[in-house]
Amino acid sequence: MRMWGIPLKCPQCSRKMNSSGIYRKVKEVIDVDSRYYLVGGDYPRCNKCALPVCPWSQDILSQLDVAHRSMFPAVLTTHLALDRKCMTFLKPRTSGNSSSYFQAAIEEVHSEEWARQAIRYLSDCESHQKMATFVPSAAAYPPPLPFRPLPLAQWFETVHSNNILSHLQEMKGVITSTYGRILKMDTTNTENKVIKC
Ligand SMILES: [Zn+2]
C-alpha cells in the first residue's frame, strides 16, 4: 500500500483498507540452501470492520496485479513457507521428481550451508577473542546453533498442492476467457464436458 500505492479492499466489506503499522509476526521461508523470514512492512486494516488482515494472506495477494503478485517469493503453508525457486523441482515433469528425493537433496544443501556458517561464526569468535585481549573479562561465545532438520517429504507435497490451488482462480479465468461463461462442468464421465453459454 505504501511502497507501490496499490489500494487494498477489505475482504468483508470491500472498503479501502489503511495501514496500521508493521505486521508483528514473521513467516519462516525455506529457500534452496538456507532459511529466511518474511516481514510485513504494512499491516492492512479496515476501519469499519476493525479487521486487520495478514499481509500475505490470499485475500491480499489475490488483489495484486500479476506483475506485483509474481514478486511474492514463497508458497505458504500454515507454519512454514517454501521459496518459489524450489517449486521447479517439485513439478512432475522434472526428472527425479519425487518429494522424498527432493527433501533429501535440499536437506543436504542446507546442512552444507549450515556447516559453512558455523565455520564462519567460530572463525569470527576467534578473531574477536584475539582482539579483546585488553579487556579483563573474556567474552563468552555460545556454541553455533544446531542444525535444524527440514520438514518431512509430505510437507513438500502439501506445498506443491497449495501452489496448484493458488493458481486455480487464474486457471478458471483462462478457461472462462477461452470458452465463455462456464455454466456446468460434467465430471461424471471420463471426458470432461464443458457446457458453455
Ligand atoms: Zn471492512
Side-chain angles (χ1 to χ4, degrees), residues 18 28 35 41 43 48 56-58 65 69 72 78 104-106 116 123 129 136 139 153 159 165 175 187 189 197:
N18 298 305
E28 189 174 13
R35 298 174 189 232
Y43 195 2
K48 183 169 178 283
W56 42 76
S57 67
Q58 198 56 40
D65 56 274
R69 174 77 182 81
F72 189 72
T78 315
I106 197 174
R116 280 192 287 272
S123 160
Q129 202 168 29
V159 179
L165 285 174
I175 292 169
T187 51
N189 298 332
C197 98

Side-chain angles (χ1 to χ4, degrees), residues 10 13 46 49:
C10 169
C13 70
C46 172
C49 309

Side-chain angles (χ1 to χ4, degrees), residues 28-31 33-37 80 110 148-151:
E28 189 174 13
V29 185
I30 294 184
D31 203 353
D33 65 349
S34 55
R35 298 174 189 232
Y36 64 89
Y37 294 89
L80 287 167
H110 272 242
R148 288 163 63 206
L150 292 184

Side-chain angles (χ1 to χ4, degrees), residues 168-181:
L168 201 60
Q169 288 306 321
E170 287 168 36
M171 285 193 271
K172 276 183 189 166
V174 171
I175 292 169
T176 311
S177 64
T178 312
Y179 295 106
R181 190 157 64 95

